[in-house]
Amino acid sequence: MYPSIEKLKKFFKLEAERGYDNRAVLGGLECMLDTWESEARIDNLPEEIIQAVISRVRDYQRLSPNSREVVLKGIWQRIRQTVPTEEEPMPPQDETTTPQQDVTPVPEKQEKRDQVRVVTPAQTRQPPQTRIPIPQVKDMTEGLDAPISVLSGIGPRSANKLAQLGLNTLGDMLYFFPRRYDDYSQLKTINRLGYGEKVTVIGEIKEIASRPTRNGRLTLTEAIITDGSGVLRATWFNQPWLPKQLKPGQHIVLSGQIDQYLGRLVLTNPEWEPLDRENLHTNRIVPVYPLTAQITQKWLRSKMYEVISYWAERVPDHLSEHLCRDAELVDLSTALLNIHFPNTLDEIKAAQHRLAFDEIFMLQIGVLRQKHEWMSRSARIFTAPEDWLQDQINRLPFQLTPAQQHALADISSDLTSGYPMNRLLQGDVGSGKTVIAALALAIITRVGAQGAFMAPTSILAEQHYASLLNLLAGSQGTLANEEIRLLLGATPEAEKSQIRTGLENGDIKVVVGTHALLQEPVAFTDLQLAIIDEQHRFGVEQRAALRAKGDNPHLMVMTATPIPRSLALTIYGDLDLTIIDELPPSRQEVATYLLLPRERERAYTLIRKQVAEGRQAFIIYPLIEESGKSEVKAATEEYNRLKREVFLQLRIGLLHGRLKPEEKEAVMNRFRSGELQILVSTSVVEVGVDIPNATVMLIEGANRFGLAQLHQFRGRVGRGAEKSYCLLIPETENDADENERLQAMVETNDGFVLAERDLQQRGPGEFLGTRQAGFTNLRMANLTNVHLIEKARHFAQRVFQQDPDLTQPEHHLLAHVLDRFWVESTGEIS
Ligand code: ADP
Ligand code: MG
C-alpha cells in the first residue's frame, strides 16, 4: 500500500475507535492535510483522490460525529475503488465454483441489474460483482440499525468478516442483494430429455476420458453421466484437462443443448460446475450472494433468511401507496422479500424494478433540489449592448455557426436573468466551444468583473490561454494582455504570488488554469463567471469549489463528450443544457479506417505522404496493463523504434504524462509551430488539443479505448480545411467482436451515436468521469435504462412540485431516506 494511504488508514481507524472526536491527530484531522498532500503527490495518487480527501477533511471539524463517520467512510470507499490497496476484499468466491471459474476479470461494463439475471446452475461464469458499497437507502426503524452481532451465531469474528462485505447492521443485510440466482425449480431427469432442448441436468459421472480425434488434431473428452433415470453422454472438444477436474463418482450440474449422435442423446460442449448439494435440496430459485473469504454461501444464506423473513415486512415504505400504484411498483416489503427469496422469475423482475426505481428516484429528487436551491439565489445582471456584442463577433476570424449563435443567445439570456447561470455547453469535438466561452468572458469583463476558466490539463490550459489572448486582448481587444493570466501548478512561485495579488486587487480580469486555481489560496475581488472545460474530468466538489470563490457567480461547464439522453437526465439533470450540434462549415468528416496489425505499413505510408504535403500526424499508444509496462515506457519504446526504423527523415516528438509541465509545453509548442511533424503520445492528448494542421491520427491498440474516447482522439484532426484521416489498429486481427465494435468508428462520425453504443457496451463509467461520486453506489439501477430513468424522473418531479421541501407528513420518511442517500452517496453534508 502507498505510504500516504497507509497513513490515512491509520488516522481514520483511530478516529473510528475514538468515536470520531477529531482527536486522532493533534489539533484536528485537518492539520495533517498539508503534509499529507505532498506525500500523496510523491505516491502519485490520482488527483481526484487527493482533491476528495482535501476537500472533505478540510471541514471535518465542523461536522457532527455522525457526519464525520460518513465522510471518512466515503473517502475510504472511494480510495478502495480507485487505488489498489491490500484492503481490497477478495473477489467473491462461490463455494460452488472452482477458482478457475471465478477468475473472470470484472469488466468495466455495468451489469444490467434491473433486468432479471437468473442463470441455470451451469451457466454461472458470471463475473463476480465488484465490492458492494454500504446500502444507501435505510430504514428508520430502530431495530434495523442494530449491529449484525445481535443475530444468534454471529460473534466478533463472523461480524468482522461480514463487515468486509459492508454488512454492519441488520438494515445492511436487507440491501445486500444477491449477485445472481440459481434456478433449481426447473430441473429435468435424463429420461425426460428431448432432442433440441436447452436443459440443465444433474448427475453423477460414471466414466470420463480424453482421446485424440481421428484426424489427430483435436482432443475429445467424453463423459458418461447418470441420474438413476437414464444415461447421458457429454462431450467436449479440446479441453484435455477435464478428466483431471472431473472424476468418476462426482456429482455435477451440466447445461447445454441436447444433440443426437448415432441415435443417442448427447450434450456437446456443455457448461458445467460441481454440484452444491444444498442448492439441490432447496429445489427452488436460490439467491447467490457475493462472498468474502471464509464465508460459505450456505451459512450466509441462512443468516439472510433469518433477517429478511422477519424484517422485510416490517420496513415502512418511503413511497406512498398511491405513488406505488401510479408507477406500477410493488411495495418495499415485497420487493425486499422477493429480491432475496423469490418464488418466480417475475417476482425477481418486479423487485428489481422497484429497487432500481428507488435509486433513480432518489437521485432525481436530489438533482431537482440542487437545481431549486441554485435557482433561488440571485446573481448579478450583465447586459451586453447589441452593437457592442456584434462588434466583438465581427472581430472574430470566422463567422459563428448558427449553433454557436444559438449558444451565445442562451448564455446572454442567462447573464441577464438575475439568476446564476448553471449551464452545460455540450458540443462535439471541434464544434467551437472555446470562442463562446471567450465571448461570455468578454461580456462580464466589459463592466470590470472577473472570470475564471479551468481546464483539466496544463496542455489545455495553455492552449486556452493562447486563444483567449488572441480573442480578448490584442489590438482591438477589450482587455490588455496583462489582464489575462495563466496559473498552473508549475507556475513559478513569484509569478503565482503576483497573480494572486492581481486577482485580489482586480487588476487581473481573467485567469486560466488547471486545478491549481483551486489549490492555490487564490481569492478574487469580484468573480462573476466560472467556466470549466471538459467538465467530466472534474468532480462535483471541484465545480463547487470554483464557484465558492465568488458570490453566486455564473457557471458554465463545457464538454465534448456527447452524453446519451438517459445520462444527461440523471448526471447532468441539475444543469440547463445547450447543445452545439453543428461543426464549422469548413470541416469535413474524418475518413476513418480500421487496419489490421499486419497492415501497419500502410498507415506509415499515409503518414509519410501527408507529412510530405506539409501536414502533421499524431500516433497514440495506450496503456497495456498486463504487459507490466507503463504507458510512458510503451510510448517511449515505440517512439525510439519509429525514429530509428520507420520515419528516419522525419522530425518526431514524444509526449507523455511524466514529462515536466515545461517539457510538455515545449513539445506541444514545437508541434504547434510545425517544427515537429509527428507527435507520438500517450492518451494525454485526448482532450481539447487544437492543432489545425494535423491531418492524421493513428491509434495503436485501439481496442483498449472506448468509442467515446476514440472519437475524442479523432477530434484532434480534421480541424483545418484539409482532408484528415483516423487510422485504428487493434492489437489482434482475430477478435471479431472487438473489431466489430471498432467498425462503428468507421461507420459514423456522429459522437452521439458512438456515445450511445459505448454506454450499451461499456456502461456509464466513461461518461461519469469523476462526477461519479454519487453514482457508483447505484447497485440495482442501470443507467442505460432510459425508460426507467424517465419514469423515475416523472414521479420525482411530481413529488417535488407538490412538496419541494418534503415537509408534508406523507413525505417525512422519504425526506429522511433521501438525506441518507445523498450523504452516503456523495459524502456531501447538506
Ligand atoms: P471544441 O468545441 O472542441 O473545444 P474549439 O473551440 O477548440 O473546439 O474550436 C475548434 C477550432 O475551430 C478552433 O481552431 C477554432 O478557432 C475553430 N472555430 C471555432 N468556431 C469556428 C467557426 N464558426 N468557423 C470556423 N472555425 C471555427
Ligand atoms: Mg475544447
Side-chain angles (χ1 to χ4, degrees):
M1 206 188 302
Y2 297 109
S4 56
I5 291 190
E6 191 80 66
K7 187 163 177 183
L8 272 194
K9 185 178 161 194
K10 217 172 72 200
F11 286 142
F12 286 13
K13 230 168 132 184
L14 201 58
E15 268 296 290
E17 284 164 13
R18 305 186 52 101
Y20 302 96
D21 64 357
N22 199 16
R23 295 268 175 82
V25 177
L26 225 58
L29 206 50
E30 49 276 40
C31 292
M32 57 151 240
L33 278 181
D34 281 352
T35 32
W36 183 81
E37 187 187 354
S38 38
E39 288 165 7
R41 291 200 193 282
I42 293 170
D43 288 344
N44 223 343
L45 295 190
E47 190 59 34
E48 55 166 294
I49 290 294
I50 300 183
Q51 287 308 321
V53 171
I54 293 176
S55 65
R56 293 178 192 180
V57 171
R58 188 175 286 146
D59 291 327
Y60 188 76
Q61 172 227 329
R62 288 199 291 112
L63 306 177
S64 70
N66 274 346
S67 306
R68 286 174 183 168
E69 177 180 4
V70 170
V71 164
L72 295 193
K73 283 190 174 153
I75 296 177
W76 192 245
Q77 181 178 336
R78 191 134 164 215
I79 289 177
R80 290 222 297 201
Q81 281 163 354
T82 320
V83 190
T85 66
E86 285 132 29
E87 277 280 281
E88 196 65 50
M90 309 271 295
Q93 288 240 340
D94 189 326
E95 61 179 1
T96 65
T97 41
T98 57
Q100 289 101 315
Q101 286 177 301
D102 237 344
V103 293
T104 333
V106 183
E108 275 140 69
K109 202 181 289 179
Q110 164 165 348
E111 292 180 8
K112 301 197 171 143
R113 275 164 291 191
D114 51 347
Q115 291 169 9
V116 175
R117 213 163 55 86
V118 173
V119 288
T120 46
Q123 300 169 323
T124 54
R125 293 166 198 220
Q126 300 282 344
Q129 277 187 355
T130 36
R131 63 180 299 280
I132 297 296
I134 311 162
Q136 311 103 12
V137 185
K138 279 194 219 152
D139 170 79
M140 291 208 324
T141 321
E142 292 276 293
L144 283 176
D145 284 333
I148 236 161
S149 50
V150 301
L151 293 175
S152 65
I154 298 198
R157 270 168 55 99
S158 315
N160 241 335
K161 283 176 212 141
L162 290 171
Q164 284 178 35
L165 293 169
L167 297 174
N168 298 303
T169 65
L170 300 184
D172 291 342
M173 293 182 77
L174 281 178
Y175 281 89
F176 186 69
F177 302 136
R179 68 185 166 99
R180 62 177 166 88
Y181 303 86
D182 282 345
D183 186 355
Y184 291 96
S185 62
Q186 309 282 338
L187 286 175
K188 271 195 170 180
T189 51
I190 291 177
N191 61 348
R192 288 167 54 221
L193 299 177
Y195 171 68
E197 281 180 334
K198 285 205 168 120
V199 296
T200 296
V201 177
I202 291 177
E204 182 188 341
I205 300 174
K206 277 288 162 207
E207 299 164 20
I208 180 161
S210 291
R211 58 181 161 80
T213 54
R214 236 167 265 150
N215 63 20
R217 268 184 280 163
L218 300 170
T219 354
L220 181 71
T221 306
E222 195 172 59
I224 307 292
I225 316 283
T226 74
D227 68 350
S229 77
V231 176
L232 178 68
R233 195 172 297 265
T235 55
W236 291 270
F237 285 100
N238 269 357
Q239 301 192 26
W241 58 85
L242 274 180
K244 288 204 196 81
Q245 291 180 5
L246 297 176
K247 302 278 188 221
Q250 199 176 335
H251 286 82
I252 61 169
V253 188
L254 292 154
S255 135
Q257 192 164 10
I258 296 287
D259 234 343
Q260 237 172 48
Y261 182 68
L262 300 177
R264 281 176 307 195
L265 298 184
V266 292
L267 273 174
T268 311
N269 284 329
E271 303 267 350
W272 64 270
E273 72 173 356
L275 175 65
D276 173 356
R277 287 195 154 270
E278 189 248 334
N279 291 350
L280 178 60
H281 295 148
T282 57
N283 195 18
R284 53 170 299 160
I285 300 175
V286 292
V288 179
Y289 294 100
L291 294 178
T292 182
Q294 299 160 353
I295 290 184
T296 69
Q297 202 55 253
K298 185 173 172 177
W299 181 83
L300 182 59
R301 204 179 279 143
S302 72
K303 295 296 162 211
M304 292 301 278
Y305 190 75
E306 205 177 307
V307 174
I308 309 297
S309 59
Y310 181 83
W311 282 104
E313 59 178 325
R314 288 172 170 76
V315 174
D317 201 332
H318 47 266
L319 298 184
S320 67
E321 225 166 280
H322 67 261
L323 198 159
C324 284
R325 201 174 46 240
D326 293 354
E328 299 179 318
L329 300 171
V330 295
D331 64 90
L332 186 58
S333 295
T334 308
L336 288 173
L337 184 61
N338 289 347
I339 200 73
H340 293 280
F341 297 100
N343 294 308
T344 64
L345 302 190
D346 284 345
E347 282 183 1
I348 302 178
K349 216 174 187 172
Q352 288 178 331
H353 184 69
R354 161 66 207 251
L355 295 166
F357 178 93
D358 275 8
E359 292 176 348
I360 302 285
F361 181 80
M362 296 297 165
L363 270 184
Q364 290 289 347
I365 293 210
V367 160
L368 291 171
R369 268 217 301 213
Q370 272 173 4
K371 184 164 182 177
H372 179 74
E373 195 260 335
W374 182 248
M375 294 294 293
S376 63
R377 306 184 193 183
S378 56
R380 171 116 43 105
I381 292 177
F382 293 93
T383 334
E386 197 60 40
D387 43 347
W388 175 87
L389 189 58
Q390 200 50 53
D391 275 354
Q392 302 308 310
I393 296 172
N394 292 343
R395 285 203 303 116
L396 298 173
F398 42 70
Q399 271 202 316
L400 291 185
T401 62
Q404 283 173 317
Q405 285 167 14
H406 187 97
L408 183 60
D410 281 352
I411 286 159
S412 307
S413 110
D414 287 349
L415 290 174
T416 51
S417 71
Y419 300 108
M421 161 161 63
N422 199 27
R423 187 168 291 278
L424 172 64
L425 184 60
Q426 182 181 323
D428 213 338
V429 281
S431 59
K433 296 182 290 292
T434 318
V435 61
I436 301 301
L439 288 168
L441 286 166
I443 294 176
I444 64 122
T445 50
R446 188 183 71 91
V447 290
Q450 292 174 306
F453 193 159
M454 185 163 75
T457 64
S458 52
I459 294 180
L460 210 48
E462 308 230 2
Q463 183 182 293
H464 285 324
Y465 173 65
S467 310
L468 290 184
L469 276 181
N470 227 337
L471 294 165
L472 296 175
S475 53
Q476 313 159 34
T478 52
L479 295 175
N481 279 347
E482 59 279 7
E483 289 179 305
I484 307 177
R485 297 299 291 264
L486 175 68
L487 181 66
L488 306 175
T491 305
E493 195 43 51
E495 196 181 335
K496 275 184 185 168
S497 104
Q498 202 190 34
I499 294 176
R500 278 199 293 267
T501 315
L503 287 170
E504 262 163 53
N505 66 22
D507 287 348
I508 297 176
K509 301 299 180 203
V510 173
V511 65
V512 185
T514 52
H515 294 93
L517 292 178
L518 304 178
Q519 284 150 17
E520 300 291 326
V522 178
F524 293 76
T525 154
D526 190 20
L527 177 67
Q528 291 293 334
L529 175 61
I531 300 177
I532 300 181
D533 194 22
E534 306 298 346
Q535 147 76 12
H536 60 291
R537 294 297 185 95
F538 293 98
V540 217
E541 306 92 0
Q542 287 156 329
R543 192 171 94 190
L546 186 59
R547 217 164 61 184
K549 302 230 170 217
D551 181 20
N552 288 345
H554 294 281
L555 175 75
M556 174 164 121
V557 301
M558 311 199 289
T559 179
T561 308
I563 301 158
R565 180 174 160 68
S566 61
L567 290 184
L569 286 175
T570 33
I571 323 176
Y572 294 104
D574 55 331
L575 299 169
D576 296 315
L577 183 63
T578 294
I579 298 181
I580 303 189
D581 56 3
E582 72 191 302
L583 298 180
S586 53
R587 295 297 150 70
Q588 321 174 21
E589 293 216 326
V590 177
T592 304
Y593 301 92
L594 184 58
L595 299 180
L596 300 176
R598 63 183 141 90
E599 296 173 305
R600 188 167 277 121
E601 195 47 50
R602 285 176 61 194
Y604 295 156
T605 308
L606 177 74
I607 291 178
R608 282 190 202 101
K609 212 161 135 231
Q610 287 287 308
V611 169
E613 289 174 23
R615 309 277 95 78
Q616 291 163 285
F618 291 99
I619 303 180
I620 307 294
Y621 289 92
L623 170 66
I624 300 177
E625 275 159 33
E626 56 274 32
S627 73
K629 243 186 242 171
S630 73
E631 190 181 30
V632 174
K633 179 140 182 272
T636 309
E637 282 177 9
E638 281 300 318
Y639 163 75
N640 287 328
R641 184 183 71 86
L642 291 173
K643 210 162 66 166
R644 261 188 252 116
E645 297 170 20
V646 183
F647 300 118
L648 300 174
Q649 321 295 337
L650 305 183
R651 298 184 299 271
I652 310 187
L654 172 66
L655 186 69
H656 58 66
R658 286 284 167 78
L659 294 181
K660 296 208 188 79
E662 58 271 21
E663 294 171 328
K664 272 191 217 164
E665 188 185 338
V667 175
M668 277 317 281
N669 284 340
R670 289 172 66 207
F671 191 55
R672 204 183 299 277
S673 71
E675 184 196 327
L676 293 175
Q677 296 157 316
I678 298 174
L679 185 64
V680 173
S681 174
T682 59
S683 55
V684 293
V685 300
E686 179 198 343
V687 293
V689 171
D690 186 33
I691 313 271
N693 190 47
T695 54
V696 186
M697 168 59 70
L698 167 59
I699 304 168
E700 290 280 358
N703 50 304
R704 301 269 165 184
F705 299 104
L707 297 177
Q709 214 181 346
L710 290 172
H711 184 62
Q712 286 286 330
F713 287 129
R714 178 164 62 184
R716 299 308 114 224
V717 297
R719 299 172 83 86
E722 309 298 332
K723 176 150 187 63
S724 295
Y725 304 86
C726 174
L727 310 173
L728 306 171
I729 306 187
E731 284 160 309
T732 65
E733 312 202 342
N734 35 27
D735 188 339
D737 285 351
E738 190 49 55
N739 293 350
E740 191 188 318
R741 183 176 78 89
L742 294 175
Q743 191 62 29
M745 290 289 296
V746 178
E747 284 159 17
T748 181
N749 264 265
D750 184 333
F752 273 97
V753 173
L754 295 169
E756 284 286 352
R757 292 216 196 163
D758 240 2
L759 182 61
Q760 300 297 343
Q761 291 166 348
R762 293 165 61 108
E766 204 117 335
F767 305 96
L768 294 173
T770 52
R771 202 190 158 96
Q772 57 192 309
F775 295 83
T776 45
N777 286 356
L778 297 183
R779 289 172 307 138
M780 196 54 85
N782 173 353
L783 283 177
T784 64
N785 187 341
V786 180
H787 177 71
L788 173 74
I789 288 169
E790 284 180 342
K791 178 166 159 181
R793 185 173 174 83
H794 170 79
F795 285 98
Q797 262 161 347
R798 197 167 96 176
V799 168
F800 190 77
Q801 271 159 16
Q802 257 174 28
D803 181 15
D805 300 318
L806 301 181
T807 45
Q808 291 169 11
E810 69 168 281
H811 294 144
H812 273 171
L813 185 54
L814 178 60
H816 174 82
V817 171
L818 186 71
D819 280 349
R820 288 189 82 148
F821 177 89
W822 276 90
V823 168
E824 292 189 10
S825 62
T826 64
E828 270 169 18
I829 310 299
S830 43

